[in-house]
Amino acid sequence: MEINYNQYVITTKYVINNNSPIIRVIHEKDGAWQFLGKEENLSESDAFVLSLEEILCLDKTLNEVLHLPLGKQAYRTSSKGNWIASDIDDE
């Protein structure tokens, strides 16, 4: 799979402004990416858009999930934890 580092991704203002660790990564069936922290009940106003390259600069461990197939997600319990992949529908 070729990686487009200029592709936009969705994260949250908590990840960007509060250094919330990214513990969930979603690779949507349409190819979109989401990189989320521990916060729940997020709204559209919490969203923050940046490039894949920029999110990788924030957390180098995200390179470990770039192979995640479409329609999959990965979780970890902390920024130092191991990623566990599953189907998006397995929530």
Side-chain angles (χ1 to χ4, degrees):
M1 168 172 69
E2 187 172 323
I3 299 170
N4 177 2
Y5 292 98
N6 292 318
Q7 175 182 356
Y8 77 87
V9 302
I10 304 294
T11 190
T12 70
K13 64 183 180 184
Y14 304 104
V15 168
I16 300 301
N17 298 329
N18 300 4
N19 295 318
S20 179
I22 297 169
I23 60 168
R24 183 176 180 203
V25 175
I26 302 169
H27 196 189
E28 301 283 355
K29 292 177 183 177
D30 66 1
W33 287 94
Q34 293 184 48
F35 295 86
L36 307 171
K38 63 183 186 290
E39 296 76 23
E40 297 181 12
N41 301 316
L42 297 169
S43 67
E44 283 186 30
S45 65
D46 297 321
F48 202 97
V49 178
L50 62 163
S51 72
L52 181 58
E53 182 176 28
E54 290 171 313
I55 199 84
L56 292 173
C57 286
L58 292 176
D59 183 346
K60 302 285 187 222
T61 68
L62 297 174
N63 282 295
E64 298 171 20
V65 293
L66 291 184
H67 66 281
L68 201 62
L70 298 175
K72 299 285 185 178
Q73 63 184 345
Y75 288 96
R76 60 185 176 178
T77 56
S78 73
S79 62
K80 306 235 187 280
N82 293 323
W83 291 104
I84 300 168
S86 66
D87 290 334
I88 292 173
D89 300 333
D90 288 351
E91 295 180 2

